Amino acid sequence: MFKRLLILPYFLLVLASFTTQAVEISTHSQIEKPKLQIAILAYRDKLSTAQRWQPLLSYLQNEIPTHTFSLNIYYHLELEKAVEKQQVDFVLTHPSHYVLLTHRNGLSSPLASLINQEGATPTDQFGGVAFALANRNDINQWKDLKNKTIAAIATTSTGAYQMQAFELLQRGIRLPDDANVIEMGQPQSLAVNAVLNQQADVGFVRTGVLESLSDSGYFDMQQIKIINATHPSNFPFVTSTRLYPEWPFAAMPHVNKDVTRRVAATLLAIESGSDLAQSMQISGFTIPGDYRIFDEMMRQLRMKPFAQTQYFDLRDVMQRWWFELGLVSSLTISILLFFIVLLLIRNRTIKQAKHTIEQSMQKIRQLSLVVEQSPEGIMITDTQGRIEYMNPAYETITGYTLNELSGKNPSVLRSLDTPKIIFKQMWDNLSQGKHWRGEIINKRKSGEIYPSDNIISPVKNSKGQTSHFLAIHKDTSTIKNHQQRIQSLLYFDQVTGLPNRTQLIETMDKLLNQKSSLGAVAGLILINVDHFKLINEIHGSYSGDALLKAMAERLSDFVKDSGFVARSGGDEFAVLSYRAEHIVDCESCIIGLEQTLLEEIEKPYIIGGERFAITCSIGASFLGREEAEQVSEDILTLTISHANTALKQVKESGGHGWKLFHKNMSEIARHQHQIESELRLAIERNQLKLFLQPQVNSRGEFIGAEALVRWQHPEKGLLSPGEFIAIAERTDLIIELGHWVLNQACLEIDKAQQQGLSISISVNISPRHFRQANFVDEIKTLLNRHPLTSCRLVLEITEGLFIENIEEVSSKINPLKKLGLEFSIDDFGTGYSSLSYLQQLEIDELKIDRSFIETLEKTAVTDSLVETIYTVANKMHLRVVAEGVETEHQVQQLQKLGELIYQGYYYGKPDEADHWLERWK
């Protein structure tokens, strides 16, 4: 790699012809097409960098002819200014610089990572190397670098400084505070010279530099030793640090997303070892690595853009203010010693004075102990109401001291919230020599209003005359707050502030009992947010709660005084809409309200500066007395049940809609329950049949099949999966059904092998089935009964599994892979997973969903997502199955891609397993 950094003097003359602006190389300038600017950081001179990447420009122009591409070569500061002014569209730079640009200008997530060609070895990683002279016995590990002189090209270099500095920081050594760092500048051989000439104790370079210099005869590797030398597998060089992802290729935020995806797919399609890759001295591009480690590394090293964030640990404080801390400590100790001596000198005098005071106060303490320590506030006034005494508790409650209120009337504590009649009753009692007890709303010194419970009694002298008034004062604000809190918890939702389900039911009951006439008196509307769980998982519970609050406010504004809004569940709201007296047709009213309510609640929300577009499902029913003898409790239960039934039907239909309950819905629910009961018996009585649909290769040869199930109902005949699979999915019946299909598929594979045939059969595994704790053991037991089938059995799983718990999925796939099973992702492209899951899981096959295949009737394969999915799968060495192939035109389009597996009616409909096997033979 280092050889490529050495620039001939000839290029220095050419470099003078460049201005401080970027070198721009344009193609197709004669055609008026949208122009895309590609910016590349030059770590050598601009001319050689432009010549190196010119083939990439030509390649992109050829593969994406709808746009014109220009190549711009920049140095660090030039590239930062160009990105800040949005003069470029795509950026290729080193990882630390990418983090800086992303923090300042919001670049996209990396579209691809560079794969360098290091000799005969391609690698998408690099690391940092720390080295010293071989005879330096005092430098053997990272901790030995403290207080040494270190040579590096620049502190902004990722592989030649920051990686090594990060390793040192993990061991308590911070650069440049704990060592003398010399910035040598480019090329990196200058750092090597500094160590060889003993100008520095240690040198920092990027991986591969030392090997390149040694191969060129620049120096002998025996002269140096590598600090913390490691030899990672599949990496050609020795490294001192961990390995990090190579240069990322990213897009500016203003670039169209479709264009971004096309450019990413084009980069990933560059074949390793091709003439194009060799001309650029690389091996191609790969799926982007994890660059978050660079963010953390730069943050801890306090590099830009985090250099302005100043924080100090104890060690920084000690280094910065050691003199001041020592001075303060000395003064503190001196002062303490002075007071100790002073106290010792005066100790005898103090003891004598204390003894005298204690004797004088003993009687007073005995008399006032109960009053002083009373947790209740106690006040004494004269007969005119002037305050003479307040105990500490009273001072604490009111915020006033006795000095502040002495001689004043207690009326200074009153608020205007206490009715005047209360004070009249109080003085009537006291004037008659009776005590009075009641609640007064007072005001503290801070202005805070609080409730208090008071007992006021006249104090009489030996003659029976009232000489004072004694008031016992108790602050009841805490008790009332607790009562209000309990009331809030019982009747209000703590996230949205709306009434909860309990208050909703009480309101429905009151409304029902207030109406004497029969018929519908209100409509209950249940609103459920579709896929709310994904919002919490992707954006966090804070955003989810904020969205619920915004929905609550919008619902309350929409309904206003014409109804009652509550939060009835986690992601569910309820609207109780009152029927106006003049409205006779309550059904029309509710239907109209559902439609407008759905439109209103689905308008986009802005949460934390981010736009949220949601869909909702609505189910409604009527609240009313259909039969006069029904009790309220039965009516409420039935109303909520009906609304839930309507809502459930909307959810099962895909959501984003509304339904008003009708009696036939109950019939549907009963029918589904009947299907569920009969299906349970069908499994026990062996009424199921295994069907197979063929899979063929690009030459039309049968290579396998997908297992499907049919139900031979004794009365209704042969039933398709659409009539019972969805019902089974809602219960554990889908597990029994899946086990039956797996066993039958293994039997068919056994039959084929006994007849000398080799076929593979794919079985779709339900998410509920896959999540079972004993799933792996179940498959192992099955393979023990059919030991020859494992290498021909393919398990199809859906993308929805990945987003919930990738670790759990991986823990089940890995042991089954070791037994010879293969895994396929069904309906790929319609779920929520990302490419990172494909890297973490040992997947063998992707099945492109039929919805993408159907688009080929109107769209060329090169302009569809089918080509992108195929390119990604091919890059990751995965088989690709095209589902739902039904026409000759679709076949012709798919054949343009290369090697595919086809499945669909064009090649054969599902048939009984025995018939299919005979046709296969």
Side-chain angles (χ1 to χ4, degrees):
M1 179 184 293
F2 180 76
K3 292 179 180 179
R4 300 201 297 268
L5 299 175
L6 299 179
I7 307 301
L8 295 175
Y10 165 75
F11 294 114
L12 296 177
L13 296 176
V14 179
L15 180 63
S17 65
F18 286 87
T19 66
T20 58
Q21 302 300 318
V23 176
E24 179 179 289
I25 302 175
S26 292
T27 60
H28 304 285
S29 57
Q30 295 84 0
I31 304 174
E32 289 296 330
K33 302 176 182 178
K35 180 177 288 187
L36 295 174
Q37 305 286 344
I38 300 178
I40 298 179
L41 177 70
Y43 63 89
R44 297 183 294 181
D45 64 278
K46 291 185 177 180
L47 179 60
S48 61
T49 303
Q51 290 174 340
R52 177 186 180 185
W53 293 106
Q54 174 62 34
L56 176 63
L57 185 69
S58 303
Y59 168 68
L60 290 173
Q61 189 65 68
N62 183 61
E63 293 297 319
I64 310 177
T66 56
H67 290 72
T68 299
F69 290 84
S70 294
L71 187 63
N72 300 272
I73 309 301
Y74 296 101
Y75 292 126
H76 274 84
L77 293 178
E78 295 173 344
L79 180 53
E80 292 169 15
K81 290 181 180 179
V83 170
E84 181 180 358
K85 295 180 180 179
Q86 298 189 359
Q87 296 173 343
V88 298
D89 301 293
F90 295 94
V91 175
L92 177 63
T93 185
H94 66 77
S96 296
H97 201 214
Y98 163 74
V99 172
L100 175 65
L101 295 177
T102 301
H103 184 82
R104 289 177 174 174
N105 308 105
L107 265 64
S108 72
S109 297
L111 306 179
S113 288
L114 181 66
I115 306 177
N116 264 323
Q117 185 69 31
E118 301 292 355
T121 304
T123 176
D124 60 352
Q125 295 179 301
F126 73 108
V129 177
F131 63 95
L133 288 176
N135 60 5
R136 289 296 297 268
N137 296 325
D138 59 327
I139 303 177
N140 296 296
Q141 49 189 332
W142 285 114
K143 67 178 183 179
D144 298 334
L145 273 62
K146 187 172 183 179
N147 299 325
K148 298 296 191 296
T149 299
I150 299 172
I153 62 171
T155 58
T156 57
S157 172
T158 304
Y161 178 78
Q162 293 179 3
M163 291 180 182
Q164 296 90 331
F166 190 47
E167 292 288 342
L168 287 171
L169 186 60
Q170 310 312 306
R171 293 158 178 83
I173 301 174
R174 179 177 291 280
L175 298 184
D177 298 342
D178 296 333
N180 179 28
V181 178
I182 305 175
E183 297 190 62
M184 307 299 296
Q186 291 278 20
Q188 297 191 44
S189 60
L190 295 178
V192 178
N193 290 340
V195 174
L196 295 177
N197 298 333
Q198 299 186 27
Q199 294 176 291
D201 301 307
V202 180
F204 288 169
V205 294
R206 173 189 164 117
T207 50
V209 170
L210 295 178
E211 290 84 350
S212 177
L213 289 173
S214 178
D215 292 342
S216 66
Y218 193 85
F219 79 107
D220 186 353
M221 286 288 286
Q222 298 297 322
Q223 295 177 261
I224 64 169
K225 59 181 174 183
I226 307 299
I227 309 301
N228 193 42
T230 56
H231 299 78
S233 60
N234 300 322
F235 187 72
F237 305 119
V238 65
T239 179
S240 298
T241 71
R242 60 162 284 182
L243 297 179
Y244 296 79
E246 269 285 6
W247 285 29
F249 191 99
M252 291 289 287
H254 63 263
V255 180
N256 180 272
K257 301 304 179 186
D258 291 334
V259 174
T260 299
R261 285 193 290 269
R262 292 182 65 186
V263 171
T266 303
L267 293 176
L268 294 174
I270 297 176
E271 296 183 1
S272 176
S274 64
D275 292 341
L276 173 62
Q278 292 179 0
S279 66
M280 294 185 288
Q281 305 170 28
I282 64 174
S283 186
F285 289 86
T286 187
I287 293 172
D290 187 355
Y291 290 89
R292 291 174 296 182
I293 183 62
F294 291 100
D295 184 280
E296 180 62 22
M297 178 175 70
M298 296 169 68
R299 188 182 301 276
Q300 291 195 29
L301 291 177
R302 304 175 186 173
M303 308 298 294
K304 289 182 180 180
F306 309 110
Q308 292 78 14
T309 304
Q310 296 297 324
Y311 60 93
F312 303 97
D313 54 22
L314 181 59
R315 187 167 175 273
D316 293 330
V317 173
M318 293 298 295
Q319 288 181 342
R320 180 166 295 191
W321 291 295
W322 66 269
F323 177 78
E324 290 82 352
L325 289 173
L327 181 61
V328 170
S329 299
S330 299
L331 290 175
T332 302
I333 293 172
S334 299
I335 293 172
L336 287 174
L337 290 174
F338 171 78
F339 277 106
I340 290 173
V341 173
L342 182 62
L343 288 174
L344 290 173
I345 295 174
R346 301 191 62 183
N347 184 51
R348 187 174 182 180
T349 305
I350 292 173
K351 284 184 178 181
Q352 292 175 348
K354 181 179 179 182
H355 180 69
T356 303
I357 294 173
E358 286 182 350
Q359 286 182 331
S360 302
M361 295 294 296
Q362 186 64 31
K363 291 184 179 180
I364 299 176
R365 285 199 186 100
Q366 292 175 348
L367 294 174
S368 63
L369 187 61
V370 174
V371 174
E372 291 290 325
Q373 295 185 1
S374 172
E376 313 292 349
I378 296 177
M379 174 195 289
I380 298 176
T381 71
D382 61 17
T383 55
Q384 303 301 313
R386 291 185 290 265
I387 297 174
E388 294 185 356
Y389 173 80
M390 289 165 42
N391 74 340
Y394 206 104
E395 292 180 333
T396 301
I397 293 172
T398 63
Y400 290 99
T401 65
L402 177 59
N403 290 335
E404 291 175 306
L405 296 184
S406 180
K408 296 183 179 180
N409 193 282
S411 61
V412 299
L413 301 174
R414 299 172 188 168
S415 71
L416 299 178
D417 296 331
T418 304
K420 294 181 179 180
I421 186 64
I422 297 295
F423 296 112
K424 182 179 184 303
Q425 293 172 355
M426 177 187 72
W427 283 111
D428 287 345
N429 278 28
L430 295 178
S431 61
Q432 296 175 23
K434 302 177 182 179
H435 78 276
W436 174 87
R437 180 169 188 167
E439 182 180 76
I440 298 176
I441 308 302
N442 284 345
K443 181 169 64 175
R444 307 187 206 274
K445 182 179 179 180
S446 63
E448 178 188 356
I449 304 299
Y450 70 99
S452 64
D453 188 16
N454 299 267
I455 300 176
I456 304 176
S457 301
V459 179
K460 298 181 180 180
N461 57 23
S462 57
K463 297 180 181 180
Q465 298 173 334
T466 300
S467 61
H468 294 83
F469 292 111
L470 173 68
I472 301 176
H473 182 83
K474 182 177 181 180
D475 181 358
T476 59
S477 59
T478 301
I479 296 175
K480 289 187 174 292
N481 288 339
H482 286 168
Q483 292 173 344
Q484 292 175 357
R485 177 62 177 166
I486 293 172
Q487 184 77 2
S488 175
L489 291 173
L490 287 175
Y491 290 101
F492 291 91
D493 173 55
Q494 301 306 302
V495 175
T496 62
L498 290 177
N500 60 14
R501 184 182 179 88
T502 301
Q503 191 173 166
L504 169 67
I505 293 174
E506 289 190 5
T507 302
M508 292 171 62
D509 185 58
K510 291 178 182 178
L511 181 64
L512 190 64
N513 291 325
Q514 288 173 357
K515 302 291 183 178
S516 58
S517 60
L518 302 181
V521 297
L524 176 62
I525 302 174
L526 298 182
I527 306 164
N528 183 269
V529 185
D530 297 333
H531 311 299
F532 182 76
K533 181 180 179 182
L534 288 176
I535 296 175
N536 272 336
E537 291 177 345
I538 296 173
H539 301 279
S541 59
Y542 177 81
S543 296
D545 289 347
L547 177 61
L548 292 175
K549 292 178 183 177
M551 293 181 66
E553 292 176 1
R554 187 176 294 180
L555 278 171
S556 299
D557 291 342
F558 181 82
V559 175
K560 293 183 179 179
D561 298 331
S562 62
F564 178 85
V565 181
R567 184 184 178 195
S568 54
D571 55 357
E572 185 176 281
F573 294 90
V575 174
L576 189 63
S577 178
Y578 310 141
R579 189 187 73 178
E581 293 296 334
H582 65 280
I583 295 178
V584 178
D585 188 356
C586 188
E587 179 173 351
S588 299
C589 178
I590 293 299
I591 291 176
L593 179 60
E594 281 185 305
Q595 292 173 324
T596 55
L597 184 58
L598 187 63
E599 294 172 0
E600 179 68 20
I601 200 66
E602 288 186 347
K603 291 178 181 179
Y605 297 84
I606 304 299
I607 306 296
E610 186 173 358
R611 185 176 184 271
F612 283 77
I614 64 169
T615 61
C616 295
S617 300
I618 294 181
S621 64
F622 295 125
L623 173 65
R625 292 186 182 274
E626 296 182 356
E627 298 180 7
E629 61 272 13
Q630 283 186 296
V631 297
S632 297
E633 183 176 350
D634 294 337
I635 296 174
L636 295 177
T637 302
L638 198 61
T639 301
I640 295 173
S641 175
H642 287 171
N644 273 315
T645 299
L647 176 62
K648 186 177 180 181
Q649 287 203 8
V650 177
K651 299 290 286 186
E652 290 177 353
S653 301
H656 187 34
W658 57 269
K659 279 186 182 296
L660 178 63
F661 176 82
H662 292 288
K663 291 183 179 180
N664 62 341
M665 290 184 181
S666 296
E667 295 297 328
I668 293 173
R670 282 193 290 270
H671 172 71
Q672 290 176 343
H673 178 70
Q674 181 181 359
I675 291 292
E676 178 184 336
S677 301
E678 292 178 353
L679 180 58
R680 197 177 301 277
L681 291 175
I683 297 174
E684 296 175 0
R685 297 174 180 177
N686 200 26
Q687 295 176 359
L688 302 178
K689 290 183 176 294
L690 186 72
F691 275 53
L692 298 175
Q693 184 172 27
Q695 296 177 339
V696 304
N697 60 20
S698 298
R699 296 177 295 281
E701 301 168 343
F702 290 107
I703 60 173
E706 180 178 358
L708 305 169
V709 64
R710 300 291 188 269
W711 179 6
Q712 188 64 52
H713 196 282
E715 299 175 359
K716 301 176 183 178
L718 191 66
L719 300 181
S720 65
E723 299 187 53
F724 60 89
I725 289 294
I727 297 174
E729 284 280 6
R730 294 198 294 267
T731 68
D732 285 343
L733 269 177
I734 195 65
I735 300 173
E736 297 181 41
L737 198 60
H739 185 75
W740 184 90
V741 175
L742 281 168
N743 188 63
Q744 294 299 313
C746 290
L747 289 173
E748 293 303 321
I749 294 175
D750 288 346
K751 290 180 184 178
Q753 290 178 334
Q754 292 171 8
Q755 300 177 33
L757 303 176
S758 178
I759 63 171
S760 64
I761 295 182
S762 299
V763 178
N764 196 297
I765 304 298
S766 163
R768 182 190 287 265
H769 191 180
F770 188 89
R771 295 190 191 102
Q772 296 301 302
N774 65 339
F775 179 76
V776 174
D777 292 335
E778 176 189 339
I779 299 299
K780 288 181 178 179
T781 302
L782 183 68
L783 295 181
N784 288 335
R785 293 202 302 267
H786 307 278
L788 300 179
T789 63
S790 61
C791 61
R792 311 304 301 166
L793 186 61
V794 181
L795 302 185
E796 296 184 6
I797 57 179
T798 59
E799 294 178 277
L801 281 171
F802 305 156
I803 196 168
E804 295 180 2
N805 193 332
I806 184 67
E807 291 79 11
E808 179 188 0
V809 175
S810 179
S811 69
K812 292 183 178 179
I813 288 179
N814 293 341
L816 295 179
K817 287 284 293 181
K818 293 178 181 178
L819 298 177
L821 273 71
E822 294 187 346
F823 282 85
S824 174
I825 299 181
D826 194 20
D827 300 333
F828 183 78
T830 62
Y832 309 99
S833 62
S834 68
L835 294 178
S836 63
Y837 293 129
L838 298 183
Q839 291 183 306
Q840 298 179 52
L841 299 174
E842 295 187 34
I843 298 299
D844 304 278
E845 177 182 279
L846 299 182
K847 297 190 76 172
I848 303 177
D849 186 68
R850 64 177 61 249
S851 61
F852 297 116
I853 304 302
E854 292 173 355
T855 61
L856 299 183
E857 292 294 326
K858 299 180 181 180
T859 306
V861 69
T862 54
D863 296 328
S864 71
L865 285 176
V866 176
E867 182 186 40
T868 302
I869 296 173
Y870 178 81
T871 300
V872 171
N874 195 36
K875 191 77 174 179
M876 301 184 72
H877 307 292
L878 301 177
R879 296 193 305 270
V880 180
V881 179
E883 285 188 297
V885 180
E886 298 183 355
T887 67
E888 176 70 24
H889 180 73
Q890 292 172 349
V891 174
Q892 292 174 355
Q893 289 290 315
L894 291 170
Q895 286 177 341
K896 296 178 182 179
L897 297 178
E899 188 63 31
L900 277 173
I901 298 174
Y902 299 82
Q903 179 181 337
Y905 281 13
Y906 183 81
Y907 292 99
K909 296 182 179 181
D911 198 359
E912 284 193 51
D914 292 339
H915 298 167
W916 190 89
L917 188 59
E918 288 300 320
R919 187 169 60 184
W920 167 266
K921 291 169 57 179

